[in-house]
Amino acid sequence: MFTKILIANRGEIACRVITTARRMGIATVAVYSDADARAPFVKMADEAIHIGPAPAAESYLVADKIIAACKQTGAEAVHPGYGFLSERASFVEALEAAGIAFIGPPAGAIAAMGDKIESKKLAMEAGVNVVPGHVGEIDDTEHAVTIANDIGYPVMMKASAGGGGKGMRLAWSEKDVREGFEATKREGLNSFGDDRVFIEKFIENPRHIEIQILGDKHGNILYLNERECSIQRRHQKVVEEAPSPFVTPKMRKAMGEQCVALARAVDYHSAGTVELIVSGADETGESFYFLEMNTRLQVEHPVTEAITGVDLVEQMIRVAAGEKLAMTQEDVKIDGWAIENRVYAEDPYRGFLPSIGRLVEYEPPVEPWTDDGSENGRRGVGGIRVDDGVFEGGEVSIHYDPMIAKLVTWGETRDEAADLQVQALDAFRLEGVGHNVDFLSAIMQHPRFRSGELTTGFIAEEYPEGFEGAPASDDLTHVLAAVGGVIATADADRARRIDQKLHEEFYAPGDWTVRIGEREESSTTHQVRLEEEQVTVDGEPVTLAMEYTPGERFVEVEQFAQGAEDDAEPVATYGLKLAPTRTGYAVTTRGATHTLRILQTRIADLAGHMIEKEPPDLSKLLICPMPGLLVKLHVAEGDAVQPGQPLATVEAMKMENILRAEKEATVSKINAGEGDSLAVDEVILELE
């Protein structure tokens, strides 16, 4: 067994590998860039070596610097995590030449599976189902149009070396191919250094299922069940779970055996994942097709660990050290259900725009995961596990992936795991950057998610006009109104005790009018009364247990059934984040922020005569939705534009985003030029 390993990665995955290595008694070495000098993974490791500036191309992607750090510290092996150098065959070969072990698959398997065109050919030879398409190289846009027409629309254009949702375009027509082919090539070249593109049939109503593979150097290869990864946005996974609510034991066996055959065809060892696309319209489960093989650890590996009890990082280390797998296929079980949500620095209320900045507040629902070595320990604290690599006061940088943390929950059933997600997301406290916690909570509560009727189109279909927050039930609305009344009374009681404020002899008011919603026409208004023994909302008792001190920004509220005994269990528990406003609070819970306008009832009657300010009309402006580079202007001053017409292309996070006209108009003024760096909300052009 190794005595010291180096982790050629950063963030949460570096913390994850260090945690298991520490339990195994293996010393660890971290490498870090300028941007990560104070990062948690650097402090966790036994040694840390600085390897360069913040851009990954000058630090984490420079193989020579990783090898030099190994030699400097005496590290015998390298764990690559995921991303960066994890699927670069040349890096594995360079390590081997330097006498350093790679904790991952052989270079030949990485090369074979890393080329999407060649991997499809190998899959066909191994007897694996593949999606109909063109697996040869494509000369130009006209050639791409001819191929797409022959296959039949819709088709998917993919960069051959792509991954993580980059370098992919869906085309429903010849026009889409002409617009998107060159952009797909550019994204492939910019992100992966390879501009080859292939085209395949797009499976409608598809589910994304993946099979976890684990093999050793002695010819033993197992499949550790499946993960459902259908809920995606722009081809990037948002929610993962294990097992899949769609997969039957018969399907699991058929999928697993085909994936093992593919792994065996390339002499695979270590952990890996074979991604499949499954037709949701085929209830027989026989219509599943090979997409690609990821020759590394997956971001979503904790859900597999939670239901199987297998520590995948430990197994990768043991396999790299030459050990045989200590389990057989019959030993692989499914115990309970696990769900993982990716908490990202992105704003779902603004089209999921990336957000960067300082984490002014960061407090996950439980302490970051520590490994006690037990099967249950891989499920975290009370079934809640947080894998992260950030800290309060740290920055989410433009240089790296904007993932803040992975939230994993485990339950005996799928509903239990989802309920625990909602509870844990309520308790997640994040300030300073935009984040998707509300959106994740909304998905967990969504009836379609709960039914298990998932496809990769879930987000686009359920949120076609964008995300505006999870809808509040009548029950939640009454709880919010009651809480608003309680905290308003507590605040007023505090105010009367301050010198030169309300006289102490006055009592804090107990009659409140609570309006939930920002504007009159879309809000609900409730009468809240605090009495000695109860709180009523619109005359109906609401039984709550909560502790609140004026100034607090987070409150946990338990709701009980009316007339419940003292020892009764709550029917619901809410975590409420409070942000004071001029006339009340913005309360965030259950996947939405609710604006509470709280006024004494006698004042509320008078406030109804006040005029509400109308928001400005922004439809005449093309506003840059994110920090980025203006790659192309598609129009000039004086041009007439139609709804849906491309106006500008902005590159951000190595992806090109086409900004389109929302209505018929004329371009009156252009404020930015191609090549300009744009700030968020900067006006690119004006319309009339």
Side-chain angles (χ1 to χ4, degrees), residues 542-562:
V542 177
T543 306
L544 304 176
M546 60 178 284
E547 292 184 6
Y548 170 74
T549 301
E552 283 189 291
R553 294 294 175 260
F554 182 83
V555 177
E556 187 171 284
V557 178
E558 293 180 329
Q559 180 187 7
F560 295 86
Q562 186 176 341

Side-chain angles (χ1 to χ4, degrees), residues 606-650:
L606 301 173
H609 299 288
M610 299 295 288
I611 298 173
E612 291 198 42
K613 184 179 179 181
E614 291 295 325
D617 180 13
L618 300 180
S619 64
K620 296 181 179 180
L621 307 175
L622 181 67
I623 297 173
C624 187
M626 72 205 83
L629 180 70
L630 182 56
V631 176
K632 186 173 180 60
L633 275 170
H634 299 278
V635 292
E637 289 185 4
D639 286 357
V641 298
Q642 300 296 319
Q645 181 177 336
L647 300 179
T649 299
V650 176

